[in-house]
Amino acid sequence: MENIVQEAISAPVSPAGQFLSNSVLSLSVIAVLETEVPIDDSQTMSLLKNVFLPINPRFSSIMVTNEDGEQRWKRVEVRLEDHVTVPVFAAGMSSEFYDKCLDDYLSKIATEHLPQSRPMWEIHIIKYPTSHAAGNVIFKLHHSLGDGFSLMGALLSCLQRADNPSLPLTFPSTQSHTKKDGKNFSMCRTVHKFFSTVHNTASDFSSSIIKSCLIEDDKTPIRSGQHGVEFLPAGIETMTFSLDHIKQIRSKLGVTLNDVISGTIFLGTRLYMETLSPGSGNANSTSLVLLNTRMFVGYKSIEEMVEPNADSPWGNHFAFLNIPVPKLRDASGAENPLQFVFKARQIIRRKRMSSFAVYLTAKYLQLVSKFRGAKGASKYIHGTMKNTSMGITNVMGPIEQMALANHPVKGLYFVVTGAPQSLMVGVISYAGKLRVALLVEKDFIDPRKLKPHIEHAFDMIFKAACSRRTSPPEN
C-alpha cells in the first residue's frame, strides 16, 4: 500500500462516490486517445507528476474509513510506476494484428477492478500502430473520482489545441433548435403545465422505484439477464458520424443533437434485435440515459470546479432517466425512421423538462443511504441497471483538434465499465465528428453486427430528414 501523507487533510467521500465504489457496484470510465504520430513516452512520468496529479487531490488519494465509519479521501504518496503500463506485443506485425491486440487488451482491462490500495486510476500506453491510429493512450479512472463532466475537464487540463496551444479549446453550442411560442406563457398553459409536472413526477418516480425492485425488461438479443454480467468478458466497438450531417438532421427536424443520436441508437438496436430474433423489435426494452444535473454552460477550469458553491462543481452530479426504447411497430420502423427521433425527443424532453423525478430519486438514494448505508443505495442503482437493457451516456468534446505532449489526438472515445448490463453506449463529440463506442457482453452481443445496424439507422434517418421540406411542430 502506498504511504499515507500524514499531514494531508482528508475530505469526505461524496454520497455518489460511495454509491459507485463498493462490493455491490463499482463503475469505471475507460477513455481512449488515438494519436496521429507514434508515441514517445519519455515524458510520461514528468507529465503525470507535474500536470495530472495537481489537477485534483483525488488523483493522489485513496478511500479510507475513519473511527466513526465515515469514508474519506486520504492523500498518499503516489508511486507513478504502479499506475502506468506499456504492454509489449509481437513486433513488426500488421495493423490488423494490432487491432486484435488492442481489442483483447481493452476487453481485459474493462473487466479488471482498480486496486483500492492506491489512487484509482491507470494509464496504458499502446505504442503499436492500429488501422485507426499510430498509437493509443488509454485512461482508466474510477467513477468515484468524478463523472464524465469532471473527468473531461481534467483531461482537457492536460491537453492543448493542436493548431495553436495559446488559444483555448471551444465547445459546440448546447442551445436547442426548437421554436418558441409566446402562447407558452398563457395562464391556461401554466396551470396545465403545473398539473402535468405533478403527474409526470409521481409517475416517473414510482416507475423508477418499481424498475429497480420488481419489473425487469424482456430478455432479448441485447439483454441476456445473466447474473453477474458485469464480471463477464466484454468487447468494444466504435463508429464515427459526421457532426455536419447530424446538424443537418437537427436543423431539418427542429430537435437536439441528443435526440438525433438517441433515435439513431434506438432504431439501430431495434433493427439488430429484429434481425437476430424476429419479434424482439417489439419487446419491452428500456434505456438508462445519463443526465448531467449541473447548470451546464460549458466546461470550467479545474480551479472553478473545486470552488465552494461552484455552478459546475467537481464530482458526480448526474441522474438516470428510464427511457422506454420505441418499438418497431409503434414507431413504424423502417417505413418512418424519423419517428424514432421524435419519440426519443418527446420522452426525454418530458422527463427532463417536465418532471422532478430525477431529483426525487437523488433524495431517495440519500435517504436509503442514511438508513441502510451506501451499499443499500448501491443495490438500488444496481437493480435499476440490471433490470434495464442498455445504458447511454454522452460527453461533449472540443471543436478543435487537441494534442497531448505534442502528440495530435486523431480520435477520442470512452465507455463506462462495471455496469450489470449487456450493452453500454458512450457518445462523445470531437473535432467535427461524433464517436459512438459500444461496450457489449462478449459472446452474447456481436458488436460487428450491431455496428452496421446503427450505421444503417443513421443513414435512414439522414435521408428521410433531408427529404423533409418542413420542420414538425413542437411537441
Side-chain angles (χ1 to χ4, degrees):
M1 184 172 176
E2 304 188 30
N3 296 326
I4 294 179
V5 182
Q6 296 294 337
E7 67 274 13
I9 300 175
S10 60
V13 179
S14 69
Q18 296 180 50
F19 303 161
L20 302 177
S21 178
N22 54 58
S23 59
V24 175
L25 184 66
S26 182
L27 302 182
S28 296
V29 178
I30 291 178
V32 182
L33 274 65
E34 300 170 327
T35 64
E36 282 189 350
V37 298
I39 297 176
D40 174 10
D41 61 348
S42 60
Q43 302 180 60
T44 301
M45 296 304 177
S46 62
L47 285 171
L48 289 174
K49 180 179 179 181
N50 300 319
V51 179
F52 181 75
L53 291 184
I55 287 174
N56 193 292
R58 295 186 190 182
F59 295 147
S60 304
S61 302
I62 61 173
M63 285 187 187
V64 296
T65 305
N66 64 16
E67 296 176 354
D68 298 324
E70 182 186 21
Q71 284 191 300
R72 304 186 73 87
W73 291 107
K74 189 70 177 180
R75 294 290 293 272
V76 299
E77 227 173 84
V78 181
R79 292 168 49 89
L80 292 175
E81 59 269 23
D82 293 340
H83 295 262
V84 179
T85 303
V86 184
V88 177
F89 305 140
M93 306 300 286
S94 66
S95 59
E96 290 76 15
F97 174 84
Y98 294 126
D99 284 343
K100 180 68 165 55
C101 290
L102 178 61
D103 289 346
D104 292 344
Y105 193 82
L106 285 170
S107 176
K108 170 178 169 289
I109 66 173
T111 51
E112 292 177 342
H113 282 285
L114 291 165
Q116 293 191 329
S117 59
R118 65 189 189 213
M120 291 187 288
W121 60 268
E122 295 175 346
I123 293 178
H124 305 261
I125 302 174
I126 311 296
K127 300 173 69 175
Y128 301 89
T130 64
S131 59
H132 295 292
N136 290 267
V137 180
I138 305 168
F139 291 82
K140 183 174 182 180
L141 307 102
H142 200 274
H143 222 307
S144 61
L145 298 173
D147 55 17
F149 179 90
S150 298
L151 298 179
M152 176 57 72
L155 184 63
L156 295 176
S157 298
C158 303
L159 299 164
Q160 298 174 313
R161 277 183 61 158
D163 59 345
N164 190 339
S166 65
L167 295 177
L169 293 163
T170 58
F171 297 85
S173 169
T174 59
Q175 187 175 6
S176 171
H177 282 240
T178 56
K179 298 178 181 180
K180 300 296 181 181
D181 186 347
K183 295 180 182 178
N184 288 350
F185 301 100
S186 68
M187 180 61 70
C188 290
R189 190 173 182 88
T190 301
V191 172
H192 177 270
K193 184 176 180 181
F194 170 77
F195 285 106
S196 176
T197 298
V198 172
H199 174 268
N200 291 337
T201 297
S203 174
D204 293 345
F205 179 64
S206 60
S207 65
S208 176
I209 302 296
I210 293 172
K211 175 63 73 174
S212 173
C213 307
L214 300 174
I215 299 177
E216 63 180 74
D217 281 358
D218 296 333
K219 292 182 180 180
T220 66
I222 64 166
R223 181 176 182 269
S224 68
Q226 188 164 338
H227 178 72
V229 65
E230 63 267 39
F231 305 115
L232 299 177
I236 296 177
E237 185 66 62
T238 71
M239 65 199 83
T240 304
F241 300 104
S242 165
L243 269 179
D244 285 339
H245 287 174
I246 294 174
K247 289 176 182 177
Q248 282 182 257
I249 300 171
R250 180 181 66 177
S251 177
K252 278 281 189 178
L253 304 185
V255 297
T256 67
L257 183 148
N258 283 339
D259 298 333
V260 176
I261 197 61
S262 296
T264 298
I265 293 170
F266 291 161
L267 175 56
T269 302
R270 284 298 194 187
L271 294 174
Y272 168 82
M273 294 165 64
E274 190 67 21
T275 298
L276 266 65
S277 177
S280 64
N282 297 312
N284 292 319
S285 300
T286 308
S287 172
L288 282 182
V289 176
L290 199 66
L291 170 68
N292 177 14
T293 57
R294 298 173 180 85
M295 295 300 292
F296 183 75
V297 291
Y299 291 105
K300 302 293 184 181
S301 68
I302 299 302
E303 292 77 11
E304 290 175 298
M305 292 172 71
V306 298
E307 285 180 357
N309 303 316
D311 290 334
S312 299
W314 182 280
N316 284 286
H317 299 272
F318 63 87
F320 290 112
L321 295 180
N322 283 281
I323 308 297
V325 179
K327 299 177 181 180
L328 282 178
R329 64 167 178 257
D330 295 338
S332 302
E335 292 78 18
N336 193 357
L338 298 184
Q339 284 303 310
F340 271 82
V341 177
F342 295 143
K343 281 187 173 290
R345 174 180 184 269
Q346 181 183 33
I347 298 170
I348 295 173
R349 186 169 179 265
R350 180 184 71 79
K351 286 178 174 282
R352 181 167 185 167
M353 304 300 293
S354 302
S355 173
F356 297 106
V358 290
Y359 301 101
L360 284 181
T361 301
K363 295 298 181 183
Y364 174 77
L365 286 174
Q366 293 177 14
L367 191 64
V368 171
S369 177
K370 181 177 180 180
F371 292 101
R372 296 177 55 194
K375 288 186 178 180
S378 297
K379 286 180 181 178
Y380 171 87
I381 299 173
H382 185 279
T384 301
M385 289 181 161
K386 178 177 67 70
N387 290 341
T388 53
S389 297
M390 73 169 95
I392 301 177
T393 178
N394 66 80
V395 176
M396 187 171 63
I399 295 173
E400 300 84 13
Q401 185 180 28
M402 305 180 293
L404 175 64
N406 297 318
H407 292 71
V409 177
K410 181 180 181 181
L412 170 66
Y413 61 92
F414 79 98
V415 290
V416 176
T417 69
Q421 293 176 309
S422 299
L423 174 61
M424 287 289 291
V425 183
V427 182
I428 186 168
S429 62
Y430 172 60
K433 299 183 185 302
L434 193 82
R435 194 76 172 270
V436 177
L438 309 173
L439 178 76
V440 305
E441 179 185 342
K442 212 167 189 177
D443 300 324
F444 176 69
I445 295 177
D446 186 343
R448 286 176 174 79
K449 289 183 179 179
L450 177 56
K451 173 182 175 178
H453 279 87
I454 295 177
E455 291 174 330
H456 177 56
F458 182 81
D459 290 339
M460 292 168 63
I461 290 171
F462 180 70
K463 290 176 182 176
C466 289
S467 63
R468 191 182 184 95
R469 294 187 178 181
T470 57
S471 298
E474 185 176 359
N475 290 325

